Amino acid sequence: MPEPEHEVDESVEYMPRSAVGAACTASTGTHQRQVERLLKLRVDGKQSAADCRAVQAFQVREKIKPANGYAGPVTWARAELLAARKNLDPGRRCPVKKYAVACVDLDRQLMWVRKDKKVTFAVVNIRSGRPGYATRTGWHSVYWRHKDHWSSIYDTPMPFSQFFSGGQAFHAVYGQLATPTGSRGCVNLSYRDAGKLWDVLRKGDRVYIWGKRPGS
């Protein structure tokens, strides 16, 4: 379990200055279209009064702050996770194998681990590569694990690192996951989730990645 100082409030939404302080904002969110789809609203990518009320109700229910209807990355990440808990892999994108496969869905910014038909690591939110630092898709294998890794390239801690493609790895971040920008190619997890994944994966386990991070 993570130490208290590693806990991050993942319920605080990112938003532009124009949306701050509004009881129900008229600003179109960075993830407006995705949130509209997940909340079964009219998908037009434009904020309306009805959209704001529906998004705000979802934020209140999920304790996202501030609950002012702005469809930002935190709201989208939570809605995507809840949908995946009901329907994990609707497109059947991740191959089902007799061995363990870490499934990484860049479209939805989610990952899980499955061995045959059994999910051994439940679906969680992730953050993948930003523009210019795309997380590599396709088949990979975990080839090196370093629990207390420190990046010599970016001079930053990478706890629970499990490398699967060159310098790209699953690892924890101390800050918030659901941000407007992505990683530098790694698959970031919360400290708690990365610690749990460390106990699930082993060297040689396979990784399958598909899709593209929205906005990248």
Side-chain angles (χ1 to χ4, degrees):
M1 298 293 288
E3 299 171 9
E5 62 266 25
H6 297 145
E7 295 289 350
V8 174
D9 188 351
E10 296 283 355
S11 65
V12 179
E13 182 61 276
Y14 279 78
M15 62 185 64
R17 185 184 298 273
S18 61
V20 175
C24 207
T25 182
S27 298
T28 295
T30 54
H31 293 75
Q32 187 77 31
R33 189 174 293 274
Q34 293 98 321
V35 172
E36 288 169 346
R37 171 179 55 81
L38 289 160
L39 298 188
K40 296 179 170 48
L41 305 173
R42 179 186 175 190
V43 181
D44 59 7
K46 298 177 182 179
Q47 179 79 315
S48 67
D51 288 341
C52 189
R53 289 192 297 270
V55 175
Q56 187 176 50
F58 175 80
Q59 291 169 331
V60 170
R61 187 167 65 249
E62 297 301 317
K63 298 180 173 57
I64 295 170
K65 305 180 288 286
N68 70 347
Y70 183 77
V74 172
T75 301
W76 170 59
R78 184 61 182 170
E80 229 29 301
L81 182 64
L82 294 178
R85 287 176 178 172
K86 294 180 180 178
N87 190 1
L88 181 60
D89 190 9
R92 298 183 180 180
R93 299 294 302 274
C94 195
V96 178
K97 301 292 185 181
K98 296 293 185 182
Y99 48 81
V101 178
C103 306
V104 183
D105 184 341
L106 302 183
D107 295 326
R108 297 185 294 166
Q109 293 290 281
L110 300 170
M111 78 151 294
W112 62 93
V113 180
R114 183 165 54 195
K115 185 175 183 180
D116 202 353
K117 294 183 179 180
K118 182 180 180 181
V119 175
T120 59
F121 179 78
V123 63
V124 297
N125 293 119
I126 58 101
R127 179 175 60 192
S128 66
R130 68 185 70 173
Y133 296 89
T135 302
R136 302 179 193 103
T137 56
W139 281 104
H140 309 283
S141 295
V142 176
Y143 68 88
W144 185 49
R145 290 165 25 104
H146 191 192
K147 194 171 186 177
D148 299 310
H149 189 69
W150 187 280
S151 172
S152 58
I153 299 175
Y154 301 112
D155 193 27
T156 188
M158 295 170 57
F160 304 111
S161 283
Q162 302 192 72
F163 290 85
F164 55 80
S165 177
Q168 296 189 355
F170 297 114
H171 71 84
V173 292
Y174 292 112
Q176 194 167 16
L177 276 180
T179 61
T181 57
S183 72
R184 290 186 173 91
C186 287
V187 175
N188 298 157
L189 297 92
S190 71
Y191 193 91
R192 183 184 296 271
D193 289 339
K196 291 179 179 178
L197 184 64
W198 178 266
D199 293 332
V200 172
L201 292 182
R202 296 290 180 267
K203 184 178 178 180
D205 280 346
R206 302 303 304 278
V207 179
Y208 186 71
I209 304 175
W210 70 93
K212 182 180 180 182
R213 176 182 169 86
S216 66

